[in-house]
Amino acid sequence: MLDNKGFDLWADGYDSTVGISDDEYTYPFAGYKDVLGRIFQVIMKKKNAVVLDIGFGTGTLTSILYENGCTVYGQDFSSRMIELAAQKMPGAHLYQWDFTQGLAEPLKRQRYDSIASE
């Protein structure tokens, strides 16, 4: 299992790796776009939803939600993944924290319409 440093190293190539795996329908990301599409449809049923994404990575799902009017909160343990996601969502509330330690303190004080983890 990769730790946060492993994900930091993988971050710049992460989206292409996921895309290739999904396109070729191979492990570990076979069907990834379909799953994200379904999650997106459910969340978008509420206009301007407030969303928490735990382990948002480079922001593949959250950036689309953000572009469609959602207020995005997120937690990831990779600083590089957060940097990449923040470029896509400059107004999002993104925190570096390891979920095995629970939620980052600021995230505990919010209310969410939807919570996702992919």
Side-chain angles (χ1 to χ4, degrees):
M1 178 186 238
L2 290 176
D3 62 7
N4 62 326
K5 290 179 182 25
F7 274 96
D8 286 347
L9 293 171
W10 187 16
D12 290 309
Y14 182 81
D15 290 342
S16 66
T17 301
V18 170
I20 291 168
S21 176
D22 187 52
D23 290 344
E24 296 176 356
Y25 208 76
T26 58
Y27 178 83
F29 297 106
Y32 188 70
K33 290 177 194 166
D34 291 337
V35 171
L36 294 187
R38 290 185 184 124
I39 294 169
F40 174 81
Q41 290 173 351
V42 169
I43 292 173
M44 291 308 296
K45 287 180 180 178
K46 176 156 179 38
K47 187 174 178 148
N48 301 317
V50 178
V51 179
L52 170 61
D53 190 343
I54 300 167
F56 57 84
T58 60
T60 302
L61 172 62
T62 49
S63 64
I64 296 168
L65 295 168
Y66 178 85
E67 291 167 2
N68 282 276
C70 293
T71 300
V72 172
Y73 289 82
Q75 172 174 308
D76 200 285
F77 72 163
S78 166
S79 60
R80 182 63 183 148
M81 293 276 195
I82 294 169
E83 288 174 25
L84 294 171
Q87 292 171 9
K88 299 174 188 175
M89 307 175 289
H93 311 275
L94 307 177
Y95 298 91
Q96 183 177 5
W97 193 255
D98 186 341
F99 188 63
T100 64
Q101 304 300 312
L103 286 178
E105 202 57 42
L107 298 175
K108 294 178 184 179
R109 296 188 287 271
Q110 297 296 320
R111 296 184 61 90
Y112 307 100
D113 298 307
S114 294
I115 299 173
S117 180
E118 73 256 32

